[in-house]
Amino acid sequence: MIRLKTSAQIQAMREAGKITGEALLLAGEHVKAGVSTKYLDDIVRHHIEKRGAKPSFLGYGGFPGSACISINEEVIHGIPDANRILQDGDIVKIDVGAFFRGYHGDSANTFYVGNVAPDTKRLVEATKESFYRGLEMVNANYRLGDVGAAIEGHVTQFGYTVVREFVGHGVGSELHEDPNVPNYGVPGHGFRLRPGMTIAIEPMVCAGSAKVRVLSNKWTVVTVDGSMAAHYEHTVALTEDGPILLTKVD
Ligand code: MG
Ligand code: MG
């Protein structure tokens, strides 16, 4: 069941979204060679707690971190680890959620560690751009299939692929609500977008095959072929006046 939000509820979600966006931005500013993924996780947790919120991911399904931090061929759900040290040339995906006054925010970005190869940067830029192509479809004239088709259509022109086993989702008083928001789709199909919908749009894009598997730690999702993967996510509210990016602070 899709839980439509009132404008007052969307207003409340702006606060959770802002804290989420701030924590992600702050963690991104600390990305550099030599720091551990646990260090970045601590920055996220401290900021969220300082703002009187709770990290949405901490303890979610038993997840041990406040952020999911995934390097290179790791797509999503990387576990923060004091022994995982960022190296020059890596890309690191940081995914953050904050719960504040009854609502969650959810946002992710991919950051460069030092000197990143040009073809990897192209993957990251295409992934971010695909989010905005999907966002163009977020109005009451379109359906979720239009959003997914726009995302997939943008990245496939570069030979990239979208992950199919993991998708975006509704966000609200629960971190994951209906509907699923796939990064693929058939134009004109799927749920019609309606004002009051609050969804996380989150393209997960691979440089090679879209095949992924979960590591033996039961969390980290990696590309089977070892190719690089990028991730970009915002929580988006559709209002009568159009979409609002609840987690965008920069
Ligand atoms: Mg997320
Ligand atoms: Mg999400």
Side-chain angles (χ1 to χ4, degrees), residues 57 95-96 106-108 169 202 231 233:
F57 302 167
D95 193 346
V96 173
D106 190 4
S107 185
H169 50 93
E202 51 176 314
H231 187 201
E233 173 182 34

Side-chain angles (χ1 to χ4, degrees), residues 195-237:
M197 285 178 76
T198 48
I199 54 176
I201 299 175
E202 51 176 314
M204 294 160 244
V205 181
C206 309
S209 162
K211 284 207 184 92
V212 294
R213 66 187 176 88
V214 180
L215 294 184
S216 58
N217 66 19
K218 297 203 165 49
W219 280 105
T220 313
V221 176
V222 300
T223 58
V224 169
D225 64 8
S227 68
M228 291 280 190
H231 187 201
Y232 190 82
E233 173 182 34
H234 280 296
T235 302
V236 180

Side-chain angles (χ1 to χ4, degrees), residues 135-235:
L135 184 66
E136 287 174 7
M137 300 292 147
V138 179
N139 69 60
N141 296 322
Y142 292 110
R143 293 173 181 270
L144 286 175
D146 296 295
V147 176
I151 291 169
E152 186 173 32
H154 181 70
V155 301
T156 53
Q157 65 179 317
F158 303 104
Y160 305 143
T161 59
V162 300
V163 171
R164 303 182 84 85
E165 287 95 329
F166 297 89
V167 296
H169 50 93
V171 184
S173 54
E174 303 291 333
L175 179 60
H176 295 111
E177 297 186 350
D178 287 339
N180 281 340
V181 181
N183 298 304
Y184 53 87
V186 178
H189 286 70
F191 284 109
R192 181 173 291 282
L193 289 146
R194 292 173 60 186
M197 285 178 76
T198 48
I199 54 176
I201 299 175
E202 51 176 314
M204 294 160 244
V205 181
C206 309
S209 162
K211 284 207 184 92
V212 294
R213 66 187 176 88
V214 180
L215 294 184
S216 58
N217 66 19
K218 297 203 165 49
W219 280 105
T220 313
V221 176
V222 300
T223 58
V224 169
D225 64 8
S227 68
M228 291 280 190
H231 187 201
Y232 190 82
E233 173 182 34
H234 280 296
T235 302

Side-chain angles (χ1 to χ4, degrees), residues 19 22-23 26 42-52:
I19 296 166
E22 289 167 356
L26 190 62
D42 286 343
I43 288 169
V44 167
R45 182 167 52 81
H46 287 146
H47 181 79
I48 290 171
E49 290 177 348
K50 190 177 84 183
R51 296 280 265 111

Side-chain angles (χ1 to χ4, degrees), residues 8-80:
Q9 288 172 320
I10 290 173
Q11 201 58 36
M13 285 187 68
R14 277 177 179 264
E15 292 301 313
K18 185 159 184 275
I19 296 166
T20 303
E22 289 167 356
L24 179 58
L25 189 65
L26 190 62
E29 287 169 359
H30 287 80
V31 166
K32 62 175 182 180
V35 307
S36 73
T37 57
K38 176 71 167 65
Y39 173 79
L40 298 174
D41 187 63
D42 286 343
I43 288 169
V44 167
R45 182 167 52 81
H46 287 146
H47 181 79
I48 290 171
E49 290 177 348
K50 190 177 84 183
R51 296 280 265 111
K54 285 188 173 165
S56 302
F57 302 167
L58 187 61
Y60 186 94
F63 189 76
S66 295
C68 298
I69 306 184
S70 313
I71 299 172
N72 296 341
E73 79 284 1
E74 297 170 352
V75 187
I76 49 169
H77 301 171
I79 299 174

